[in-house]
PDB file of all heavy atoms in Angstrom:
ATOM      1  N   ALA C   1     -51.857  48.849 -50.670  1.00 95.00           N
ATOM      2  CA  ALA C   1     -53.150  48.173 -51.215  1.00 95.00           C
ATOM      3  C   ALA C   1     -53.940  47.623 -50.032  1.00 95.00           C
ATOM      4  O   ALA C   1     -55.135  47.819 -49.887  1.00 95.00           O
ATOM      5  CB  ALA C   1     -52.797  47.121 -52.186  1.00 95.00           C
ATOM      6  N   LYS C   2     -53.306  46.917 -49.106  1.00 96.00           N
ATOM      7  CA  LYS C   2     -54.009  46.322 -47.968  1.00 96.00           C
ATOM      8  C   LYS C   2     -54.551  47.400 -47.015  1.00 96.00           C
ATOM      9  O   LYS C   2     -55.637  47.254 -46.474  1.00 96.00           O
ATOM     10  CB  LYS C   2     -53.063  45.329 -47.226  1.00 96.00           C
ATOM     11  CG  LYS C   2     -52.635  44.115 -48.045  1.00 96.00           C
ATOM     12  CD  LYS C   2     -51.713  43.250 -47.269  1.00 96.00           C
ATOM     13  CE  LYS C   2     -51.258  41.994 -48.103  1.00 96.00           C
ATOM     14  NZ  LYS C   2     -50.304  41.234 -47.399  1.00 96.00           N
ATOM     15  N   ASN C   3     -53.712  48.433 -46.764  1.00 97.00           N
ATOM     16  CA  ASN C   3     -54.198  49.498 -45.929  1.00 97.00           C
ATOM     17  C   ASN C   3     -55.417  50.227 -46.469  1.00 97.00           C
ATOM     18  O   ASN C   3     -56.303  50.527 -45.766  1.00 97.00           O
ATOM     19  CB  ASN C   3     -53.091  50.540 -45.751  1.00 97.00           C
ATOM     20  CG  ASN C   3     -52.048  50.021 -44.734  1.00 97.00           C
ATOM     21  OD1 ASN C   3     -52.262  49.123 -44.016  1.00 97.00           O
ATOM     22  ND2 ASN C   3     -50.881  50.727 -44.659  1.00 97.00           N
ATOM     23  N   THR C   4     -55.426  50.431 -47.766  1.00 95.00           N
ATOM     24  CA  THR C   4     -56.533  51.134 -48.395  1.00 95.00           C
ATOM     25  C   THR C   4     -57.796  50.334 -48.251  1.00 95.00           C
ATOM     26  O   THR C   4     -58.893  50.819 -47.994  1.00 95.00           O
ATOM     27  CB  THR C   4     -56.260  51.435 -49.847  1.00 95.00           C
ATOM     28  OG1 THR C   4     -54.987  52.197 -49.941  1.00 95.00           O
ATOM     29  CG2 THR C   4     -57.306  52.246 -50.532  1.00 95.00           C
ATOM     30  N   SER C   5     -57.647  49.018 -48.459  1.00 94.00           N
ATOM     31  CA  SER C   5     -58.785  48.090 -48.271  1.00 94.00           C
ATOM     32  C   SER C   5     -59.328  48.169 -46.852  1.00 94.00           C
ATOM     33  O   SER C   5     -60.534  48.295 -46.585  1.00 94.00           O
ATOM     34  CB  SER C   5     -58.424  46.639 -48.679  1.00 94.00           C
ATOM     35  OG  SER C   5     -58.036  46.556 -50.021  1.00 94.00           O
ATOM     36  N   HIS C   6     -58.464  47.978 -45.865  1.00 95.00           N
ATOM     37  CA  HIS C   6     -58.793  47.981 -44.433  1.00 95.00           C
ATOM     38  C   HIS C   6     -59.413  49.373 -44.008  1.00 95.00           C
ATOM     39  O   HIS C   6     -60.262  49.405 -43.162  1.00 95.00           O
ATOM     40  CB  HIS C   6     -57.640  47.672 -43.611  1.00 95.00           C
ATOM     41  CG  HIS C   6     -57.288  46.209 -43.613  1.00 95.00           C
ATOM     42  ND1 HIS C   6     -58.062  45.204 -44.242  1.00 95.00           N
ATOM     43  CD2 HIS C   6     -56.291  45.479 -42.989  1.00 95.00           C
ATOM     44  CE1 HIS C   6     -57.606  44.037 -43.994  1.00 95.00           C
ATOM     45  NE2 HIS C   6     -56.444  44.164 -43.313  1.00 95.00           N
ATOM     46  N   LYS C   7     -58.906  50.388 -44.696  1.00 93.00           N
ATOM     47  CA  LYS C   7     -59.396  51.752 -44.373  1.00 93.00           C
ATOM     48  C   LYS C   7     -60.946  51.815 -44.547  1.00 93.00           C
ATOM     49  O   LYS C   7     -61.585  52.632 -43.845  1.00 93.00           O
ATOM     50  CB  LYS C   7     -58.645  52.721 -45.206  1.00 93.00           C
ATOM     51  CG  LYS C   7     -58.956  54.236 -44.961  1.00 93.00           C
ATOM     52  CD  LYS C   7     -58.125  55.026 -45.788  1.00 93.00           C
ATOM     53  CE  LYS C   7     -58.267  56.531 -45.601  1.00 93.00           C
ATOM     54  NZ  LYS C   7     -57.357  57.352 -46.375  1.00 93.00           N
ATOM     55  N   MET C   8     -61.444  51.148 -45.630  1.00 92.00           N
ATOM     56  CA  MET C   8     -62.838  51.222 -45.892  1.00 92.00           C
ATOM     57  C   MET C   8     -63.760  50.250 -45.100  1.00 92.00           C
ATOM     58  O   MET C   8     -64.993  50.279 -45.223  1.00 92.00           O
ATOM     59  CB  MET C   8     -63.075  50.977 -47.444  1.00 92.00           C
ATOM     60  CG  MET C   8     -62.310  51.917 -48.306  1.00 92.00           C
ATOM     61  SD  MET C   8     -62.509  53.644 -47.841  1.00 92.00           S
ATOM     62  CE  MET C   8     -64.209  53.869 -48.048  1.00 92.00           C
ATOM     63  N   ALA C   9     -63.119  49.402 -44.296  1.00 90.00           N
ATOM     64  CA  ALA C   9     -63.860  48.425 -43.490  1.00 90.00           C
ATOM     65  C   ALA C   9     -64.578  49.102 -42.320  1.00 90.00           C
ATOM     66  O   ALA C   9     -64.121  50.039 -41.705  1.00 90.00           O
ATOM     67  CB  ALA C   9     -62.994  47.239 -43.010  1.00 90.00           C
ATOM     68  N   SER C  10     -65.742  48.595 -41.954  1.00 87.00           N
ATOM     69  CA  SER C  10     -66.467  49.103 -40.872  1.00 87.00           C
ATOM     70  C   SER C  10     -66.652  48.167 -39.714  1.00 87.00           C
ATOM     71  O   SER C  10     -67.109  48.634 -38.622  1.00 87.00           O
ATOM     72  CB  SER C  10     -67.852  49.549 -41.310  1.00 87.00           C
ATOM     73  OG  SER C  10     -68.601  48.445 -41.892  1.00 87.00           O
ATOM     74  N   GLY C  11     -66.194  46.971 -39.791  1.00 90.00           N
ATOM     75  CA  GLY C  11     -66.376  45.958 -38.758  1.00 90.00           C
ATOM     76  C   GLY C  11     -65.370  45.986 -37.657  1.00 90.00           C
ATOM     77  O   GLY C  11     -64.414  46.760 -37.797  1.00 90.00           O
ATOM     78  N   ALA C  12     -65.636  45.238 -36.585  1.00 93.00           N
ATOM     79  CA  ALA C  12     -64.701  45.270 -35.457  1.00 93.00           C
ATOM     80  C   ALA C  12     -63.455  44.434 -35.706  1.00 93.00           C
ATOM     81  O   ALA C  12     -62.444  44.670 -35.112  1.00 93.00           O
ATOM     82  CB  ALA C  12     -65.431  44.774 -34.216  1.00 93.00           C
ATOM     83  N   VAL C  13     -63.586  43.502 -36.642  1.00 95.00           N
ATOM     84  CA  VAL C  13     -62.398  42.620 -36.979  1.00 95.00           C
ATOM     85  C   VAL C  13     -62.122  42.794 -38.494  1.00 95.00           C
ATOM     86  O   VAL C  13     -63.022  42.675 -39.316  1.00 95.00           O
ATOM     87  CB  VAL C  13     -62.740  41.065 -36.723  1.00 95.00           C
ATOM     88  CG1 VAL C  13     -61.612  40.215 -37.144  1.00 95.00           C
ATOM     89  CG2 VAL C  13     -62.970  40.939 -35.215  1.00 95.00           C
ATOM     90  N   LEU C  14     -60.911  43.047 -38.805  1.00 96.00           N
ATOM     91  CA  LEU C  14     -60.395  43.150 -40.199  1.00 96.00           C
ATOM     92  C   LEU C  14     -59.698  41.938 -40.598  1.00 96.00           C
ATOM     93  O   LEU C  14     -58.881  41.342 -39.808  1.00 96.00           O
ATOM     94  CB  LEU C  14     -59.461  44.336 -40.292  1.00 96.00           C
ATOM     95  CG  LEU C  14     -59.933  45.739 -39.776  1.00 96.00           C
ATOM     96  CD1 LEU C  14     -58.893  46.782 -39.943  1.00 96.00           C
ATOM     97  CD2 LEU C  14     -61.227  46.121 -40.524  1.00 96.00           C
ATOM     98  N   VAL C  15     -60.005  41.445 -41.805  1.00 95.00           N
ATOM     99  CA  VAL C  15     -59.379  40.234 -42.335  1.00 95.00           C
ATOM    100  C   VAL C  15     -58.716  40.527 -43.692  1.00 95.00           C
ATOM    101  O   VAL C  15     -59.398  41.091 -44.603  1.00 95.00           O
ATOM    102  CB  VAL C  15     -60.452  39.123 -42.554  1.00 95.00           C
ATOM    103  CG1 VAL C  15     -59.704  37.861 -43.064  1.00 95.00           C
ATOM    104  CG2 VAL C  15     -61.146  38.813 -41.246  1.00 95.00           C
ATOM    105  N   ASN C  16     -57.409  40.235 -43.791  1.00 94.00           N
ATOM    106  CA  ASN C  16     -56.790  40.404 -45.098  1.00 94.00           C
ATOM    107  C   ASN C  16     -57.119  39.162 -45.948  1.00 94.00           C
ATOM    108  O   ASN C  16     -56.558  38.081 -45.681  1.00 94.00           O
ATOM    109  CB  ASN C  16     -55.276  40.585 -44.925  1.00 94.00           C
ATOM    110  CG  ASN C  16     -54.615  40.639 -46.318  1.00 94.00           C
ATOM    111  OD1 ASN C  16     -54.919  41.641 -47.074  1.00 94.00           O
ATOM    112  ND2 ASN C  16     -53.752  39.761 -46.663  1.00 94.00           N
ATOM    113  N   LEU C  17     -57.886  39.328 -46.944  1.00 89.00           N
ATOM    114  CA  LEU C  17     -58.276  38.279 -47.868  1.00 89.00           C
ATOM    115  C   LEU C  17     -57.702  38.617 -49.274  1.00 89.00           C
ATOM    116  O   LEU C  17     -58.444  39.413 -49.949  1.00 89.00           O
ATOM    117  CB  LEU C  17     -59.754  38.051 -47.887  1.00 89.00           C
ATOM    118  CG  LEU C  17     -60.220  36.815 -48.755  1.00 89.00           C
ATOM    119  CD1 LEU C  17     -59.867  35.527 -48.088  1.00 89.00           C
ATOM    120  CD2 LEU C  17     -61.770  36.904 -49.036  1.00 89.00           C
ATOM    121  N   ASP C  18     -56.540  38.137 -49.660  1.00 87.00           N
ATOM    122  CA  ASP C  18     -56.048  38.467 -50.946  1.00 87.00           C
ATOM    123  C   ASP C  18     -56.974  37.896 -52.000  1.00 87.00           C
ATOM    124  O   ASP C  18     -57.675  36.901 -51.813  1.00 87.00           O
ATOM    125  CB  ASP C  18     -54.659  37.807 -51.114  1.00 87.00           C
ATOM    126  CG  ASP C  18     -53.647  38.452 -50.171  1.00 87.00           C
ATOM    127  OD1 ASP C  18     -53.851  39.760 -49.847  1.00 87.00           O
ATOM    128  OD2 ASP C  18     -52.643  37.886 -49.808  1.00 87.00           O
ATOM    129  N   CYS C  19     -56.909  38.423 -53.203  1.00 84.00           N
ATOM    130  CA  CYS C  19     -57.887  38.052 -54.224  1.00 84.00           C
ATOM    131  C   CYS C  19     -57.706  36.608 -54.756  1.00 84.00           C
ATOM    132  O   CYS C  19     -58.601  36.192 -55.523  1.00 84.00           O
ATOM    133  CB  CYS C  19     -57.840  39.057 -55.369  1.00 84.00           C
ATOM    134  SG  CYS C  19     -56.238  39.201 -56.210  1.00 84.00           S
ATOM    135  N   ASP C  20     -56.709  35.947 -54.357  1.00 87.00           N
ATOM    136  CA  ASP C  20     -56.516  34.605 -54.812  1.00 87.00           C
ATOM    137  C   ASP C  20     -56.896  33.606 -53.734  1.00 87.00           C
ATOM    138  O   ASP C  20     -56.624  32.394 -53.821  1.00 87.00           O
ATOM    139  CB  ASP C  20     -55.045  34.271 -55.268  1.00 87.00           C
ATOM    140  CG  ASP C  20     -54.014  34.559 -54.227  1.00 87.00           C
ATOM    141  OD1 ASP C  20     -54.403  35.057 -53.124  1.00 87.00           O
ATOM    142  OD2 ASP C  20     -52.821  34.305 -54.573  1.00 87.00           O
ATOM    143  N   ASN C  21     -57.477  34.134 -52.595  1.00 90.00           N
ATOM    144  CA  ASN C  21     -57.790  33.207 -51.478  1.00 90.00           C
ATOM    145  C   ASN C  21     -59.263  32.969 -51.354  1.00 90.00           C
ATOM    146  O   ASN C  21     -60.124  33.822 -51.689  1.00 90.00           O
ATOM    147  CB  ASN C  21     -57.353  33.924 -50.157  1.00 90.00           C
ATOM    148  CG  ASN C  21     -55.893  33.641 -49.819  1.00 90.00           C
ATOM    149  OD1 ASN C  21     -55.592  33.232 -48.719  1.00 90.00           O
ATOM    150  ND2 ASN C  21     -55.043  33.938 -50.806  1.00 90.00           N
ATOM    151  N   TYR C  22     -59.621  31.836 -50.871  1.00 88.00           N
ATOM    152  CA  TYR C  22     -61.028  31.429 -50.573  1.00 88.00           C
ATOM    153  C   TYR C  22     -61.229  31.676 -49.067  1.00 88.00           C
ATOM    154  O   TYR C  22     -60.331  31.452 -48.240  1.00 88.00           O
ATOM    155  CB  TYR C  22     -61.278  29.974 -50.733  1.00 88.00           C
ATOM    156  CG  TYR C  22     -61.250  29.501 -52.155  1.00 88.00           C
ATOM    157  CD1 TYR C  22     -60.141  28.838 -52.705  1.00 88.00           C
ATOM    158  CD2 TYR C  22     -62.394  29.731 -53.005  1.00 88.00           C
ATOM    159  CE1 TYR C  22     -60.190  28.401 -54.017  1.00 88.00           C
ATOM    160  CE2 TYR C  22     -62.320  29.299 -54.365  1.00 88.00           C
ATOM    161  CZ  TYR C  22     -61.242  28.681 -54.840  1.00 88.00           C
ATOM    162  OH  TYR C  22     -61.258  28.248 -56.146  1.00 88.00           O
ATOM    163  N   THR C  23     -62.456  32.031 -48.719  1.00 91.00           N
ATOM    164  CA  THR C  23     -62.729  32.144 -47.246  1.00 91.00           C
ATOM    165  C   THR C  23     -63.039  30.726 -46.696  1.00 91.00           C
ATOM    166  O   THR C  23     -62.782  30.494 -45.541  1.00 91.00           O
ATOM    167  CB  THR C  23     -64.070  32.969 -46.974  1.00 91.00           C
ATOM    168  OG1 THR C  23     -65.147  32.341 -47.649  1.00 91.00           O
ATOM    169  CG2 THR C  23     -63.823  34.408 -47.522  1.00 91.00           C
ATOM    170  N   GLY C  24     -63.518  29.852 -47.502  1.00 90.00           N
ATOM    171  CA  GLY C  24     -64.027  28.597 -47.052  1.00 90.00           C
ATOM    172  C   GLY C  24     -65.526  28.753 -46.628  1.00 90.00           C
ATOM    173  O   GLY C  24     -65.919  29.810 -46.238  1.00 90.00           O
ATOM    174  N   LEU C  25     -66.282  27.679 -46.592  1.00 93.00           N
ATOM    175  CA  LEU C  25     -67.634  27.693 -46.165  1.00 93.00           C
ATOM    176  C   LEU C  25     -67.751  28.174 -44.745  1.00 93.00           C
ATOM    177  O   LEU C  25     -67.080  27.606 -43.858  1.00 93.00           O
ATOM    178  CB  LEU C  25     -68.278  26.354 -46.345  1.00 93.00           C
ATOM    179  CG  LEU C  25     -69.830  26.277 -46.022  1.00 93.00           C
ATOM    180  CD1 LEU C  25     -70.563  27.111 -47.044  1.00 93.00           C
ATOM    181  CD2 LEU C  25     -70.260  24.808 -46.085  1.00 93.00           C
ATOM    182  N   GLN C  26     -68.526  29.192 -44.490  1.00 93.00           N
ATOM    183  CA  GLN C  26     -68.676  29.789 -43.140  1.00 93.00           C
ATOM    184  C   GLN C  26     -67.340  30.333 -42.631  1.00 93.00           C
ATOM    185  O   GLN C  26     -67.127  30.318 -41.396  1.00 93.00           O
ATOM    186  CB  GLN C  26     -69.261  28.737 -42.193  1.00 93.00           C
ATOM    187  CG  GLN C  26     -70.504  28.114 -42.662  1.00 93.00           C
ATOM    188  CD  GLN C  26     -71.754  28.859 -42.181  1.00 93.00           C
ATOM    189  OE1 GLN C  26     -71.817  29.379 -41.159  1.00 93.00           O
ATOM    190  NE2 GLN C  26     -72.805  28.786 -42.958  1.00 93.00           N
ATOM    191  N   GLY C  27     -66.498  30.689 -43.508  1.00 93.00           N
ATOM    192  CA  GLY C  27     -65.154  31.187 -43.145  1.00 93.00           C
ATOM    193  C   GLY C  27     -65.196  32.423 -42.221  1.00 93.00           C
ATOM    194  O   GLY C  27     -64.372  32.592 -41.358  1.00 93.00           O
ATOM    195  N   GLY C  28     -66.087  33.312 -42.475  1.00 93.00           N
ATOM    196  CA  GLY C  28     -66.300  34.482 -41.585  1.00 93.00           C
ATOM    197  C   GLY C  28     -66.635  34.122 -40.208  1.00 93.00           C
ATOM    198  O   GLY C  28     -66.098  34.662 -39.230  1.00 93.00           O
TER     199      GLY C  28
END
């Protein structure tokens, strides 16, 4: 599941953000 998600990413940095997690304000 995580690999498939990361496979579609286009950015230089990949972040695993599970669906129960918050990024936090300005987390990116």
Side-chain angles (χ1 to χ4, degrees):
K2 293 176 181 182
N3 282 346
T4 304
S5 297
H6 282 355
K7 184 176 183 177
M8 303 312 298
S10 57
V13 176
L14 306 179
V15 182
N16 179 60
L17 183 72
D18 292 333
C19 59
D20 58 357
N21 275 231
Y22 292 104
T23 62
L25 184 63
Q26 307 269 327

